[in-house]
Amino acid sequence: MGKKKTFSSLEVTLIVLFVLSVCVSAGLIAALFILQRDYNDQSTTTPRPLTTQSTAKPTTTTTKPSLTTTTKPSPSTSDPFPDASLIGVGRADCTGLLADVPLMGYASSDQLAGGIHTRQYSRAFIIAEPDNSKRLVYVSADIGMVSQRVRLEVMEKLKAKYGNLYRQENVILSGTHTHSGPAGYFQYTTFMLTGKGFIRPATDAIVNGIVKSIDQAHQNMKRGRIFLNKGTVENSQLNRSPSSYLQNPESERLRYPSNTDKDMVVLKMVDMHNQDMGIISWFAVHAVSMPNINHLISSDNLGYASYLFEQEKNSGYLPGEGPFVAAFTTSNHGDVSPNTKGPWCVNTGDSCDNPGSSCPIGGVSTCVALGPGNDMFENTKIIGEHIFQKAKELFSNSSRELEKKVDFAHQWVDMSNVTVQLNGTHSATTCKPALGYSFAAGTIDGPGLINFTQGAVEGDPFWDGIRDAILGVPSNETQECHSPKPILINTGEMSQPLPWHPTIVDVQMFTIGSLAMLAVPGEFTTMSGRRLREDVQKVLDPAGTQDVQVVLSGLCNVYTHYITTFEEYQAQRYEAASTIYGPHTLAAYQQLFRGLARAIVENKVAELPKGPQPPFFNESQLFSFLLPVPVDKAPGNTTFGDVLEEVKPQYTVGEVASVTFVTGNPRSSVEHLAGKTYLAVEKYNKDTGEWHTVHNDASWETRYYWNKVSRDQSNGTMEWHIPPSAQPGIYRIHHFGHYKERNLPVTIKPYEGISSEFEVTAP
């Protein structure tokens, strides 16, 4: 038997120290693991494979990644980043009706929705101070503009859910100004007349989508950092009213290199582990690359920029999914067009870049701005890519971190009666709303009626007579107030069946560190936006030493058409004729926003008068011209989802796979397919025997054209424009829809249709 090993006192001491060090290390590792688990990015799930389904089961189901709530650390839990901002981002579908409803923006009665190219989304961002004492909400929705009705309904829902956490003063709702989203979500007569009235399903889609995006942002709040950057976007815009711009003082124009604002401002949000969370971008351009002959729901050029950014950041996800949220919002775009080839007479090929934007044959109706591509899809793609590429560059190079202090101010104002102090001795007032003659002429982006021209400073006896007989004679007071605008529709003096235009308007601003966001309720022209920004900047940073950045966020909270400078107003082109509160509208907004900025600087926001509350009309007072969906009927010997025209057996990359189905009216699907899809391109996996979705109806590569054959019969053509990224293999196109079986009681039933399989080969 061997001798028992003995240890010296030094060895014993070393062994004990070693054991203790192992225990301490294990404890520290465990503690770090727990803290990492508690504060890691719970909203960012690991990208999953795209949805699969068994060949024995034709229904494709798409389960979105769950978004886990991040709760505020309890007092007993150590917060590793107590001095960091709290940030939440969220995105939700707000796509409206795909059929029968006018698209909002061009006011063209024959531009009815008839399918979908890309979905509409609401994107929400919540930013709070480190101690959570103040927070603000910014929402950008892929809609024409935020209406007062939508804002009021959203605020009601937020109050019911969150009490006073989200209020009028700390929530901004903005629209991207796509002209290819459904109308029907307004409560004022002018907009109801051009949108077939008030349409509850269209309004619900927007309101519910906005609220859901805010819910997601609220649930995903976590510690993070915010960065700011600014750059120049080229080859993406032109001034569509250059003769009006030239009315501004030469000394003022010489201060700027261009007659449009080419600057892009981006806000970058990351968590404390440097994981990208979201971006908000501001750039002045009209979302009118899709013209008034388009009938597909589309988020247009700014929506395509969002799509590209989110697809790149959310690798492995279908469009509309994934944790990263990218909002591309507009700014002072009132006189800015994305159609960079300029205006041409479509019937003769001659230029119509003249003060009246009129052609010898056809007048304003044939003067149309074109480009930069060869069709509306290419135009949208080119402009969207330009905006995306610059935002990507600015996002990657953002190094200026914003301070963590946030503030906000809000007022309601009667914009029909604001006294403006022009100088030390002279004042003026705004006017009751009215639209001028040139409003009916439209713009080079969306031409109007042949009998009207831009730049009209005198009325026409014929149209004056019709106006007087049907709408009433404008009062002398209103005519004098709006001079030199010849009034075509005196909306401010018309109240039947409801007021024709809003008079109570939101003015609102946020500050995040040295960034100031001005929520403007309309479309500011280039120079009017510059003047407003400069005024607010002088209040926030009078010495010019704090590098304050002021951005305008357009189409916020309520829509009031355009805002030109006083000088541009004298020219009475479309934008001036649509400046509904008269020639001193800009001066009034400058005065009001200076007041908001001063209240923030002096910490006197609580002393601001709230102002008169806007009306919230009973829904029974609102009217609608949209007839109920009729009972759907399938053609003889067919049923819903049957294929009428099949795909070809084989395609190559660059070709278009197309299939036509028997469909129900897609208006019946709007509630059931919110956040889902009307079509899916599916690829067969021969190893698993399953189909998985590679594109949905939010994908740029897909299009759904809905065709109304008769009152109760319709079909739908689904297209897949096969991209270079498509892998060779076996594919099929899957359609989802609903049909109305009977009226009493109303019975809506789902259906599906699946094309034959087809092969995609390399070119």
Side-chain angles (χ1 to χ4, degrees):
M1 188 172 177
K3 186 177 179 182
K4 185 177 180 180
K5 171 72 175 174
T6 60
F7 298 96
S8 68
S9 59
L10 177 60
E11 289 175 318
V12 171
T13 301
L14 290 173
I15 291 170
V16 171
L17 288 174
F18 174 75
V19 172
L20 286 174
S21 66
V22 170
C23 293
V24 170
S25 298
L28 287 172
I29 291 169
L32 287 171
F33 176 80
I34 293 169
L35 286 174
Q36 180 71 16
R37 180 196 64 192
D38 287 345
Y39 293 99
N40 204 1
D41 181 0
Q42 296 186 43
S43 66
T44 307
T45 56
T46 302
R48 54 170 175 77
L50 295 174
T51 307
T52 60
Q53 70 176 43
S54 168
T55 54
K57 189 175 181 180
T59 303
T60 301
T61 57
T62 303
T63 305
K64 293 187 176 181
S66 62
L67 295 171
T68 308
T69 301
T70 300
T71 58
K72 187 178 178 181
S74 66
S76 61
T77 304
S78 176
D79 183 349
F81 310 110
D83 297 324
S85 298
L86 287 161
I87 305 170
V89 301
R91 177 187 53 250
D93 181 30
C94 64
T95 306
L97 303 172
L98 270 60
D100 300 332
V101 177
L103 299 183
M104 183 65 206
Y106 293 112
S108 176
S109 60
D110 59 351
Q111 192 193 14
L112 301 180
I116 185 170
H117 181 215
T118 55
R119 281 199 171 247
Q120 300 168 272
Y121 290 101
S122 172
R123 297 173 172 90
F125 304 82
I126 302 177
I127 298 171
E129 291 185 346
D131 63 358
N132 210 4
S133 58
K134 282 185 179 179
R135 64 172 57 195
L136 50 82
V137 181
Y138 181 81
V139 172
S140 174
D142 292 328
I143 59 177
M145 60 284 291
V146 173
S147 73
Q148 192 171 80
R149 183 77 187 196
V150 163
R151 177 167 174 85
L152 293 173
E153 291 197 14
V154 166
M155 298 313 299
E156 273 198 345
K157 287 181 176 289
L158 291 178
K159 185 174 180 62
K161 282 190 172 189
Y162 300 104
N164 290 322
L165 184 62
Y166 301 122
R167 313 174 299 281
Q168 296 288 349
E169 57 264 33
N170 69 345
V171 176
I172 290 177
L173 307 181
S174 70
T176 61
H177 206 37
T178 174
H179 284 44
S180 294
Y185 55 95
F186 292 81
Q187 66 172 4
Y188 291 98
T189 299
T190 298
F191 308 119
M192 286 195 285
L193 286 174
T194 59
K196 284 195 175 182
F198 178 78
I199 302 168
R200 172 46 66 189
T203 305
D204 283 345
I206 296 170
V207 170
N208 293 339
I210 290 174
V211 172
K212 186 175 181 181
S213 68
I214 295 173
D215 288 341
Q216 290 186 2
H218 177 85
Q219 293 163 7
N220 296 333
M221 296 284 286
K222 59 183 174 181
R223 298 291 183 181
R225 304 166 69 193
I226 304 169
F227 297 87
L228 181 72
N229 206 355
K230 181 179 178 180
T232 301
V233 183
E234 298 291 349
N235 306 315
S236 300
Q237 46 173 210
L238 61 77
N239 192 305
R240 69 185 188 186
S241 287
S243 59
S244 289
Y245 182 86
L246 290 173
Q247 297 293 311
N248 295 304
E250 183 181 13
S251 58
E252 182 179 33
R253 289 185 278 112
L254 288 174
R255 293 167 51 202
Y256 302 99
S258 171
N259 60 3
T260 62
D261 272 347
K262 298 179 182 293
D263 288 341
M264 171 184 283
V265 177
V266 300
L267 206 61
K268 173 181 179 178
M269 286 155 275
V270 301
D271 68 14
M272 298 308 292
H273 305 291
N274 211 34
Q275 294 296 306
D276 295 336
M277 295 177 64
I279 178 178
I280 306 174
S281 163
W282 290 272
F283 178 63
V285 69
H286 255 88
V288 291
S289 293
M290 301 294 283
N292 60 6
I293 59 172
N294 169 56
H295 295 274
L296 301 181
I297 302 298
S298 169
S299 55
D300 213 286
N301 46 42
L302 291 173
Y304 185 55
S306 290
Y307 170 88
L308 291 174
F309 214 119
E310 290 179 347
Q311 284 295 98
E312 180 162 305
K313 291 292 183 180
N314 296 320
S315 178
Y317 287 85
L318 289 170
E321 301 179 2
F324 187 89
V325 179
F328 283 76
T329 65
T330 189
S331 185
N332 52 324
H333 69 259
D335 52 358
V336 183
S337 169
N339 299 309
T340 53
K341 289 181 181 177
W344 299 86
C345 298
V346 294
N347 50 358
T348 65
D350 297 323
S351 172
C352 50
D353 188 8
N354 55 62
S357 298
S358 183
C359 295
I361 302 173
V364 296
S365 65
T366 55
C367 181
V368 180
L370 306 172
N374 296 315
D375 61 42
M376 58 187 174
F377 299 103
E378 189 176 357
N379 294 341
T380 302
K381 189 172 188 287
I382 292 171
I383 298 299
E385 284 179 340
H386 287 174
I387 296 169
F388 159 68
Q389 290 293 348
K390 175 54 67 171
K392 179 181 174 182
E393 173 194 323
L394 295 174
F395 187 90
S396 299
N397 299 327
S398 295
S399 59
R400 176 184 168 188
E401 186 169 1
L402 292 179
E403 296 176 4
K404 303 165 188 67
K405 179 177 173 54
V406 304
D407 226 321
F408 41 80
H410 171 276
Q411 282 183 298
W412 283 305
V413 178
D414 183 354
M415 277 301 296
S416 68
N417 188 28
V418 178
T419 299
V420 182
Q421 199 65 41
L422 300 178
N423 52 46
T425 58
H426 291 78
S427 63
T429 60
T430 54
C431 315
K432 293 179 181 178
L435 292 165
Y437 264 68
S438 296
F439 165 76
T443 73
I444 58 174
D445 293 323
L449 304 175
I450 190 172
N451 302 87
F452 295 87
T453 58
Q454 294 204 58
V457 292
E458 292 183 359
D460 179 272
F462 174 76
W463 290 110
D464 282 351
I466 292 178
R467 175 202 64 198
D468 296 347
I470 299 175
L471 304 177
V473 182
S475 68
N476 290 335
E477 176 190 3
T478 297
Q479 292 188 68
E480 291 171 5
C481 188
H482 279 273
S483 179
K485 177 196 292 179
I487 294 175
L488 181 64
I489 310 174
N490 52 318
T491 56
E493 297 178 337
M494 298 159 61
S495 58
Q496 297 299 322
L498 286 169
W500 282 50
H501 268 141
T503 55
I504 309 303
V505 172
D506 300 71
V507 290
Q508 184 176 18
M509 68 177 288
F510 286 171
T511 59
I512 307 169
S514 57
L515 172 71
M517 272 188 264
L518 311 185
V520 295
E523 305 181 55
F524 278 62
T525 59
T526 299
M527 193 63 85
S528 61
R530 288 169 175 169
R531 290 184 188 178
L532 180 59
R533 284 200 306 261
E534 189 173 78
D535 265 18
V536 171
Q537 189 157 9
K538 286 178 180 177
V539 175
L540 297 175
D541 185 15
T545 59
Q546 299 178 38
D547 197 16
V548 169
Q549 180 69 54
V550 181
V551 295
L552 262 67
S553 186
L555 293 309
C556 292
N557 301 331
V558 55
Y559 184 60
T560 62
H561 295 268
Y562 284 74
I563 299 92
T564 65
T565 66
F566 179 84
E567 294 84 355
E568 291 165 350
Y569 190 88
Q570 309 309 305
Q572 278 301 299
R573 279 178 60 85
Y574 174 84
E575 294 83 12
S578 305
T579 299
I580 63 174
Y581 302 117
H584 301 291
T585 301
L586 172 59
Y589 280 123
Q590 288 175 277
Q591 180 174 288
L592 291 164
F593 276 99
R594 285 197 303 266
L596 296 184
R598 195 173 297 113
I600 289 176
V601 169
E602 298 174 358
N603 197 25
K604 294 182 178 179
V605 172
E607 299 176 19
L608 286 171
K610 289 188 175 181
Q613 193 163 338
F616 188 34
F617 300 120
N618 190 295
E619 195 163 333
S620 63
Q621 298 175 268
L622 309 179
F623 60 85
S624 177
F625 303 135
L626 185 65
L627 297 175
V629 177
V631 172
D632 289 300
K633 294 181 180 177
N637 299 319
T638 66
T639 188
F640 298 102
D642 281 0
V643 174
L644 295 175
E645 187 173 342
E646 263 292 7
V647 294
K648 296 190 300 184
Q650 190 177 76
Y651 297 92
T652 59
V653 167
E655 293 186 316
V656 180
S658 176
V659 58
T660 301
F661 297 99
V662 177
T663 63
N665 189 314
R667 282 169 56 193
S668 298
S669 298
V670 65
E671 294 179 40
H672 305 286
L673 292 182
K676 299 178 183 177
T677 187
Y678 289 88
L679 72 93
V681 177
E682 298 169 355
K683 186 176 187 295
Y684 184 69
N685 187 321
K686 62 182 180 180
D687 295 328
T688 63
E690 295 180 331
W691 294 89
H692 66 271
T693 302
V694 293
H695 297 289
N696 57 19
D697 65 12
S699 299
W700 177 260
E701 296 83 359
T702 62
R703 300 173 195 173
Y704 169 17
Y705 292 93
W706 181 73
N707 177 40
K708 193 172 187 176
V709 178
S710 63
R711 181 176 177 273
D712 53 9
Q713 288 188 9
S714 64
N715 59 58
T717 298
M718 317 289 160
E719 291 183 355
W720 177 34
H721 293 244
I722 304 172
S725 59
Q727 297 297 310
I730 304 301
Y731 292 82
R732 68 185 187 185
I733 297 175
H734 197 156
H735 168 49
F736 304 88
H738 295 79
Y739 68 93
K740 190 174 187 179
E741 187 179 57
R742 58 175 176 267
N743 282 316
L744 293 173
V746 173
T747 304
I748 306 295
K749 291 192 172 182
Y751 71 87
E752 297 179 23
I754 300 177
S755 74
S756 296
E757 298 172 8
F758 57 92
E759 183 182 10
V760 171
T761 61

